Amino acid sequence: MTTETVDSKQLEQSLIDIAVESWRFLKLFARVVNRLDAGEGARYVSQLRYFQKKMEESLDASGLKLVNVEGQLFDPGMAASPLNIGDFAPDDHLLVDQMVEPIILGPEGLKKQGTVMLRKVHA
């Protein structure tokens, strides 16, 4: 491996780390804004959307994409590790209730596996 390849891999990993932490911050900030009254919260919602858009544009420029699977039926083949899978029976129908960390894809496939919390789907 050349020094340039190592530097490129380190740069990509740093970008992935910053993207994950930014994603976590966005989720936290969104929860805080949702607790504000409508008039006060509206101003912050637009700033939140702007930050999210800029983050996605920066990742796109590097060939990376954040994937959020909240609300989707859980599939064991998903690129996400469930933290609470032991709480359910093998025949339970499960839904991704919360993303703890996003999935990150690159041009050649998976760059970082996500982490999720599941809940049982009641039929």
Side-chain angles (χ1 to χ4, degrees):
M1 226 186 237
T2 67
T3 304
E4 188 174 309
T5 304
V6 171
D7 289 345
S8 176
K9 293 285 184 195
Q10 287 175 337
L11 185 60
E12 181 181 71
Q13 187 57 51
S14 293
L15 183 58
I16 288 170
D17 293 343
I18 289 170
V20 169
E21 293 308 318
S22 295
W23 182 84
R24 283 183 179 149
F25 183 75
L26 278 167
K27 287 189 66 130
L28 173 68
F29 193 77
R31 282 196 304 268
V32 170
V33 168
N34 285 334
R35 292 183 179 182
L36 300 174
D37 65 57
E40 190 176 12
R43 179 179 49 163
Y44 296 111
V45 167
S46 63
Q47 290 175 336
L48 181 68
R49 286 187 190 135
Y50 176 78
F51 181 78
Q52 184 171 9
K53 180 180 177 241
K54 293 303 284 183
M55 184 178 71
E56 289 171 359
E57 287 172 355
S58 295
L59 290 173
D60 283 345
S62 299
L64 299 172
K65 180 178 179 169
L66 287 173
V67 178
N68 184 344
V69 292
E70 280 182 358
Q72 295 182 22
L73 289 175
F74 176 71
D75 176 351
M78 252 179 199
S81 298
L83 294 175
N84 61 339
I85 192 72
D87 297 346
F88 306 101
D91 59 339
D92 285 341
H93 293 278
L94 304 173
L95 188 74
V96 176
D97 188 40
Q98 178 184 8
M99 290 289 301
V100 178
E101 287 190 349
I103 299 165
I104 300 185
L105 299 177
E108 23 348 281
L110 184 66
K111 291 292 184 177
K112 183 179 181 318
Q113 186 168 329
T115 307
V116 298
M117 295 293 289
L118 305 174
R119 72 175 163 89
K120 189 174 177 178
V121 176
H122 299 286

